[in-house]
Amino acid sequence: MSRRRRVNADALLRRAVDAVNGGDFTAGFDLAEKVLAAGDNDDAMRVATHAAMHMSPEGAAQAFERLAALRPNDGGILNDWGGVLCQLSRYDDAVGAFRRALAVRPDDAATRATLAVALSPLDRLDEAEDAARRGIVASPDNAAAHNGLGTVLERRGQLEEALAAYRRACQLAPTQRAFQDNLLLALTAIGSGFDETERILRGRLANRPDDVDSLIRLAGALRDQCKFAKAHETLDRLMALSLSESQRAQALAALSEVQFLAGDFAAAWANYRWREKWVGFKRRPHRQPEWTGEDLAGRSILVWSEQGVGDEIMFTRFLPLLAAAGAKVVLETDPRLVALFQRSFPGVTVVGVADPPDSATATGIDFQIPIGALGEKFWTRYISERPAARLQADKIRSAEMRARYLAAGNAGADQSTRLVGIAWRSVNVWMGGAKSITLNALAPLLRRRGTVFVDLQYGDNAADIEVLAAATGATIVHDQTFDQFQDLDAFAAQILALDAVVSISNTTVHMAGAQGVPTAVLLSSAPMWRWGATGETSPWYDSIRLYRQHAPGDWRDPIAAATDFLDRAAAGAL
């Protein structure tokens, strides 16, 4: 390089450094790129890489693509480019970048780990696991490779194995927060390890006492261990910090869960409303003023959906109290529930959620309110009056189903045969694993004689059911005439056809309880707030009984209690 070109390059590089130091990363990158275009320069590459890492993911992806064109055999640049593409969920492109990096550095464990992470969302799990394991072979102490293996195993549903991989990653890189986060999420999903979660979070807080995220998570871990006083104390400590509105809302919503579980529903409802200011709340675009307790006689109110199907069913318990106040009620709900709710609440106008909203939600409406806010308004009255609010399934369809299920079990008109519905799995992203039971774990209950069991679990379970039926001698009917997830009106009729239900905490429980069907609910040691932390009965539904784990992951006692529940239900002793 001539002296003049070197002087120009040095001047450009100084300007690039000044731009980066001043926070103008785009200008800094452009100047450093000009130096690189004139000739290879390690200092310019470091400045360009630093600038790219501080851009938006979209800008960074473009920047690394340009750097990769200048240095096509730089494995580090290619690996960084793949990492940014993963942030943008451009996993196919990321895989291409990582493959190019491995062509240059075939034994690089970190690149193999990130390749595994990119392949997992594409469901190329065999390739992903192979990449992670080859990374570990190449570098057994590479924490990223163990973390990458954990992500693949977790996606396969092998949570115990994923936990072991995440734990190893955390041992090798104890200050890497991203690896700890993966471990914490896996512990939550599996519904155990609350003490381990608490230990990790207390370790974080020892170094950063004002870490908002860790304080909220710690309160959750304490709540899940039923250490309500300590959870409350942790949230009080959090509330003393300077918080954004979203953080404050998250903290108070978390406090409401602690209060619900501790049995203090009356105090919990006011804090429960804070979930509406938390990121992710599904606010509908209705323009009427929100109802704050004004006289409703002769006025109209729109109640709108903002939660899952089970929650919507549960909160309809308050609708008779709105009607009793003299209100004309319009209910905007999940379209799958419209037919069922129209039949169940004849005085209510029921419309499905749509975008734009149905015209019935705009014309002549005085007030609006999210359905989950009704608890704060009506809880005291609800507890004292317990208004009748049973769902009304299609009775003709239900009777047809009952006859068909009895026939499938060769019971015919045998009045002593009991029809019992079972559901065992939740697909909830955050807690589905903790709530779910393996179908094999239900084997002791399924050996009960004089019973035809009906599969209430949505999804394709035929193969599993066939194996278990052969092992236990149980008759398990799977109704293939409708999809329980899509046709909720048929699902309601199916449940009404039964004598009893045994289920984990999911939509099935709400559908059964709201129709008065005797139901045994199998609860994990860290139940959802609506069930409280103790007791067998629920204020939501008179016909259900709650059977709780005594230790995380151990379902033997709840299943034994549910078996006894079926005996008592058959004898009319409930």
Side-chain angles (χ1 to χ4, degrees), residues 1-10 34-42 44:
M1 180 185 295
S2 69
R3 182 175 182 277
R4 181 173 180 179
R5 289 179 65 188
R6 187 175 64 250
V7 169
N8 287 340
D10 289 345
K34 288 181 180 179
V35 177
L36 288 168
D40 206 16
N41 186 309
D42 287 342

Side-chain angles (χ1 to χ4, degrees), residues 17 65-66 80 96 182 201 231 240 273 276 311 318 328 370 441 459 462 467 495 512 539 544 567:
V17 170
E65 184 175 10
R66 287 152 61 182
D80 288 342
N182 284 341
L201 293 168
R273 284 299 304 271
E276 298 175 25
D311 303 281
F318 300 120
K328 175 185 176 183
V467 170
I495 288 176
I544 74 170
D567 291 339

Side-chain angles (χ1 to χ4, degrees), residues 21-34:
N21 288 338
D24 191 345
F25 299 109
T26 300
F29 177 87
D30 290 342
L31 290 164
E33 185 184 27
K34 288 181 180 179

Side-chain angles (χ1 to χ4, degrees), residues 17 47 65 117 147 180 183 185 190 193 198 217 253-254 263 304 310 314 338 371 396 407 410 412 480 501 510 548 557:
V17 170
V47 173
E65 184 175 10
V117 171
N147 180 70
Q180 286 184 359
L183 174 56
L185 289 172
I190 205 167
E198 182 180 349
R217 289 188 177 199
W304 48 273
M314 183 178 75
V338 169
I371 194 167
I396 295 175
N410 296 316
Q480 296 180 327
V501 168
H510 297 282
R548 305 171 185 274
D557 287 341

Side-chain angles (χ1 to χ4, degrees), residues 419-482:
L419 288 180
V420 175
I422 53 172
W424 58 92
R425 186 176 65 246
S426 170
V427 295
N428 185 288
V429 174
W430 300 110
M431 61 194 74
K435 295 198 300 179
S436 298
I437 307 175
T438 63
L439 187 53
N440 285 338
L442 290 173
L445 181 140
L446 296 174
R447 292 191 178 96
R448 188 175 185 277
R449 299 309 171 200
T451 304
V452 173
F453 292 94
V454 178
D455 171 20
L456 302 178
Q457 185 66 55
Y458 52 80
D460 185 4
N461 313 302
D464 291 339
I465 287 172
E466 185 176 346
V467 170
L468 192 61
T472 61
T475 299
I476 308 175
V477 177
H478 177 73
D479 192 336
Q480 296 180 327
T481 64
F482 73 100

